[in-house]
Amino acid sequence: KHNAARQIIIAAPSAESCRSFKSEFSEIKTMQWIGGNADKIREQFERSEAENFEGLDIVQLHLNDIAGRAPGRWRYQIGKEFVARAAEAAAAKGVGLETLPWLFDEKDLMELLDMGIRRFATDEPARFVGTIEKWRGQ
């Protein structure tokens, strides 16, 4: 009645759950959030990719820190190359790739932005927006 379905995003860790919602309510957006260790994230993403991201509008990758990483190095367990490849694979199928960097500093976000990542989830919106503004001003 109010065309609200177009404003809803259903998020679930299971692509099958997303497909189920999409089959019932075709206008809603669906997002598969993929967390866990790096191997699990790669495996789940590759499974969704092999299924042509069926029923998905967005895939979210959780970016977990590498314990004890050396300063100045890529901070996340999932390699930079994988994130870039995932972004390309999703875009090729018309699916958005979102990242959830649990921890970040300016350098980390700027690297993700430079890679072409444009969808983010964050618990620190003010700091995030400040970094985006600096990146745009470069």
Side-chain angles (χ1 to χ4, degrees), residues 14-71:
S14 159
E16 182 57 43
S17 293
C18 291
R19 281 192 286 276
S20 178
F21 274 104
K22 191 73 133 177
S23 71
E24 293 292 322
F25 307 98
S26 62
E27 290 184 353
I28 65 167
K29 299 265 188 243
T30 57
M31 179 173 76
Q32 179 186 19
W33 57 266
I34 304 175
N37 65 39
D39 290 337
K40 181 178 177 187
I41 291 169
R42 277 190 295 272
E43 177 185 305
Q44 286 186 321
F45 180 85
E46 289 169 354
R47 186 177 317 124
S48 292
E49 180 182 18
E51 296 168 346
N52 290 312
F53 303 105
E54 182 188 345
L56 299 174
D57 297 293
I58 305 161
V59 176
Q60 181 190 79
L61 301 180
H62 293 190
L63 301 181
N64 303 306
D65 271 23
I66 296 171
R69 77 176 166 99

Side-chain angles (χ1 to χ4, degrees), residues 12 26 37-38 60 66 77-78 83 89 93 96 106 115 124 136:
S26 62
N37 65 39
Q60 181 190 79
I66 296 171
Q77 292 175 12
I78 298 176
V83 175
K93 295 294 184 178
E106 227 173 68
M115 291 168 59
E124 299 186 61
R136 285 184 177 153

